[in-house]
């Protein structure tokens, strides 16, 4: 009888800590920068110097499943801001990331995740830039119902379209740092 009670308790505990994860997020990109050269091949082959920085707000969400602290699912993020170039000019910037994540939410104060964004699209002025990105996230859950998140994102852009021409890009790998607040809800 004791074994039955122990197994039933373990099963109930497992089911009670499992559920659908819905996590809206709002953040601010503290730094997105790139300095170096970009190789372009397409209508012509050229190497261009690039030096820019950008900041701005970001919103998004994660939707997935969580069981015993392990979590996984899909993530979405959209940001807007201004890109400041080395020549002093500024351009409007919009970026969207869509991907998948896996992570762990510890019982006390900390959660961490890794995401692969298979679609990273950025629009700067008239240029459309496509590629992917990887993100590492660390959250502090000491505030009830909230997680304060530090996110480090590494982009790998592979295609640039500008003025009707499309180029394949190499060596265009900006890095981004974001501070965000999210509200992870587990349903069921």
């Amino acid at each position: 009888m004791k074994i039955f009670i122990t197994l039933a308790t373990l099963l109930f505990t497992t089911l009670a800590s499992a559920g659908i994860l819905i996590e809206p997020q709002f953040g601010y990109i503290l730094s997105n920068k790139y300095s170096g050269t970009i190789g372009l091949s397409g209508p012509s082959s050229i190497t261009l110097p690039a030096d820019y920085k950008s900041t701005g707000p970001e919103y998004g969400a994660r939707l997935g499943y969580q069981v015993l602290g392990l979590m996984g699912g899909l993530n979405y993020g959209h940001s807007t801001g201004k890109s400041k170039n080395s020549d002093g000019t500024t351009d409007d910037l919009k970026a969207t990331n869509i991907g998948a994540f896996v992570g762990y939410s510890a019982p006390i104060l900390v959660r961490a995740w890794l995401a692969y964004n298979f679609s990273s699209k950025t629009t700067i002025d008239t240029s459309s830039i496509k590629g992917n990105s990887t993100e590492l996230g660390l959250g502090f859950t000491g505030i009830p119902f909230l997680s304060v998140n530090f996110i480090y994102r590494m982009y790998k852009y592979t295609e640039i379209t500008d003025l009707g021409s499309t180029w394949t890009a190499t060596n265009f790998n900006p890095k981004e740092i974001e501070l965000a607040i999210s509200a992870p809800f587990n349903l069921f």
Side-chain angles (χ1 to χ4, degrees):
M1 185 65 170
K2 288 181 182 181
I3 292 174
F4 175 74
I5 293 172
T6 303
L7 289 175
T9 303
L10 286 173
L11 179 63
F12 178 76
T13 304
T14 302
L15 293 175
S17 65
I20 296 172
L21 174 67
I22 299 173
E23 184 177 358
Q25 177 173 287
F26 180 77
Y28 191 80
I29 297 169
L30 302 172
S31 172
N32 177 332
K33 61 183 176 176
Y34 177 80
S35 182
T37 58
I38 303 169
L40 299 175
S41 59
S44 60
S45 294
I46 55 175
T47 301
L48 297 173
D51 189 4
Y52 79 91
K53 298 177 187 177
S54 68
T55 60
E58 191 260 357
Y59 65 87
R62 280 185 275 283
L63 175 63
Y65 193 76
Q66 183 170 328
V67 60
L68 295 175
L70 296 174
M71 56 186 177
L74 301 175
N75 68 312
Y76 170 83
H78 180 77
S79 62
T80 58
K82 295 283 186 184
S83 172
K84 297 178 183 175
N85 304 312
S86 60
D87 62 4
T89 61
T90 61
D91 295 313
D92 291 329
L93 178 140
K94 293 180 183 177
T96 301
N97 290 304
I98 300 171
F101 74 96
V102 294
Y104 182 73
S105 184
I108 300 175
L109 302 178
V110 178
R111 56 201 309 258
W113 66 93
L114 170 68
Y116 176 74
N117 297 311
F118 46 81
S119 175
S120 293
K121 296 179 184 177
T122 300
T123 303
I124 301 175
D125 196 26
T126 61
S127 298
S128 174
I129 307 166
K130 297 179 182 177
N132 57 60
S133 62
T134 304
E135 95 181 30
L136 302 169
L138 183 64
F140 171 72
T141 57
I143 304 168
F145 307 109
L146 293 177
S147 178
V148 178
N149 304 319
F150 176 80
I151 301 166
Y152 180 70
R153 200 171 286 121
M154 299 159 284
Y155 289 92
K156 182 175 183 181
Y157 289 124
T158 56
E159 181 181 294
I160 297 175
T161 302
D162 193 18
L163 303 173
S165 297
T166 300
W167 288 275
T168 300
T170 57
N171 196 37
F172 191 14
N173 305 317
K175 309 290 189 269
E176 184 172 272
I177 297 172
E178 178 182 354
L179 186 61
I181 295 176
S182 64
F185 296 105
N186 272 309
L187 305 178
F188 307 109

